Amino acid sequence: MISLELSQHQLDELYDGLSSLDTPSARKKCLTVYLRAKGYPCEGIADITRVDADTVTNYVKSYSKCTN
């Protein structure tokens, strides 16, 4: 399991992306990573966003790679 420790600034950017990004898929990715960073379980996030748990993990991995 990948854990995310994000700064408040990073959390704010993800939250802002929920309304400012152009595509629904980009907004969904922001929501997914935001919820995971807030400590929600993958299965719960998958249920909320209607993707599978592997997709949640992939979104988080992708975000982690971009921020490192």
Side-chain angles (χ1 to χ4, degrees):
M1 175 174 60
I2 295 176
S3 64
L4 285 176
E5 293 184 24
L6 303 180
S7 68
Q8 187 60 48
H9 178 72
Q10 289 171 307
L11 288 170
D12 291 342
E13 285 182 335
L14 285 167
Y15 188 81
D16 291 343
L18 297 175
S19 60
S20 65
L21 293 172
D22 293 334
T23 63
S25 62
R27 291 191 298 266
K28 183 182 282 193
K29 288 177 184 178
C30 283
L31 176 60
T32 300
V33 175
Y34 180 83
L35 291 173
R36 191 69 190 113
K38 292 298 237 175
Y40 288 85
C42 286
E43 294 79 17
I45 297 168
D47 185 48
I48 291 167
T49 59
R50 296 185 177 202
V51 298
D52 60 40
D54 288 338
T55 300
V56 172
T57 301
N58 289 336
Y59 287 171
V60 171
K61 282 181 182 178
S62 178
Y63 182 83
S64 293
K65 287 179 185 176
C66 291
T67 59
N68 289 330

